[in-house]
Amino acid sequence: MARRSQSHNMLEKMRDQHAQDKVNDRMETGSFPKVRRKPRADLNRHANRSRLITSILIMLMCALLGFTYMSQINNTKSTYETLDENELVRLLNESNTQISNLEQRKTQLSNQLESLKSAADEQEQARKIAKQNEEASGLISGRLPARGRGVTVSISRGADAKVDASIMFNLIEELRNAGAEVIAVDSVRVVASTYIADADDGLICDGTSIKPPYTVKAIGNPQELSNAVDIAGGVGAQLQVKYGANVEVQSSDNIVIDEVREATQNQYAKTVE
């Protein structure tokens, strides 16, 4: 019984030894030790590490810039504190000089502006005066039509005598003396050189033949012009009594004299420069 137990123990040991030898030798055909591959690098871990390093560098750069900016501000504030009295006086003098130069420049520019405004005003005034003179000259010379308050004098054919040039000339002169600014006889504009001559069947005014009934238009104060014609013993009464003509004077606020004349060229008279 004891011998059988020993044999059994011996067989167990041999079996264990054989199993151990198989583990150690691994000499079976086609069986080799397995080679383990290196694990792949973790890309996400490297990316996170790169972002972390970048963030740290950015924070350091921002801190460095902030420190530099604050240092510059502190240096600027302390610039004048480090200057001595002479340098401060020099800077003050230079500032006063610059201020004085700027004030002088401002005064010069202000004077120039006033001169330009004055010149512009003078030019505008000269333009207005020139326009007024041109209009007045155009009205007097007959080059421009006219409109305004005035009267219209109608003269019929004389029943007792022919209305002659002398009485028509007197009528024009009476209207002028009463303040008539513009006058027209029928279709002829009356100017300073206007003449009236007798003709067989009427009158000749500045070379134009006119026949009765005659119409004289005058621009001026209507009341004064009417009085000049209708005054007792005046030109209106003479036309009625001596010539037997009917004279009618009508006042109006809108007398239009659109008869014009060409400007005459003076041969001898010149304007004074």
Side-chain angles (χ1 to χ4, degrees), residues 206-245:
D206 288 345
T208 300
S209 177
I210 57 176
K211 297 179 181 180
Y214 304 110
T215 300
V216 180
K217 294 183 291 185
I219 295 178
N221 187 308
Q223 185 64 43
E224 294 181 0
L225 296 178
S226 297
N227 293 336
V229 177
D230 293 336
I231 189 173
V235 63
Q238 294 178 18
L239 284 168
Q240 294 176 359
V241 173
K242 180 178 179 180
Y243 297 92

Side-chain angles (χ1 to χ4, degrees), residues 31-143:
S31 178
F32 296 95
K34 292 183 179 180
V35 179
R36 295 180 180 272
R37 294 182 179 179
K38 294 183 179 180
R40 292 184 178 179
D42 191 348
L43 298 179
N44 292 330
R45 184 177 61 185
H46 286 291
N48 292 333
R49 183 181 300 172
S50 299
R51 284 195 291 268
L52 178 60
I53 294 174
T54 302
S55 299
I56 293 173
L57 291 176
I58 292 174
M59 292 176 62
L60 291 175
M61 292 178 64
C62 291
L64 180 61
L65 290 174
F67 176 76
T68 304
Y69 179 72
M70 293 302 298
S71 299
Q72 185 176 1
I73 292 177
N74 293 331
N75 290 334
T76 302
K77 291 181 179 179
S78 62
T79 299
Y80 295 106
E81 296 177 356
T82 59
L83 297 177
D84 58 17
E85 182 178 356
N86 294 331
E87 291 177 341
L88 290 174
V89 171
R90 179 179 59 81
L91 290 176
L92 181 61
N93 291 334
E94 291 178 356
S95 300
N96 291 334
T97 301
Q98 293 178 356
I99 293 174
S100 178
N101 293 335
L102 291 175
E103 289 293 337
Q104 292 179 1
R105 183 57 177 166
K106 177 184 176 182
T107 302
Q108 293 176 356
L109 293 176
S110 299
N111 293 336
Q112 291 178 2
L113 180 61
E114 292 298 328
S115 299
L116 291 175
K117 289 182 179 180
S118 178
D121 293 340
E122 290 179 358
Q123 291 178 357
E124 180 65 19
Q125 187 67 21
R127 187 188 66 81
K128 290 181 179 180
I129 293 174
K131 184 178 180 180
Q132 293 174 357
N133 292 337
E134 181 181 3
E135 292 177 353
S137 175
L139 292 176
I140 293 174
S141 63
R143 293 183 294 105

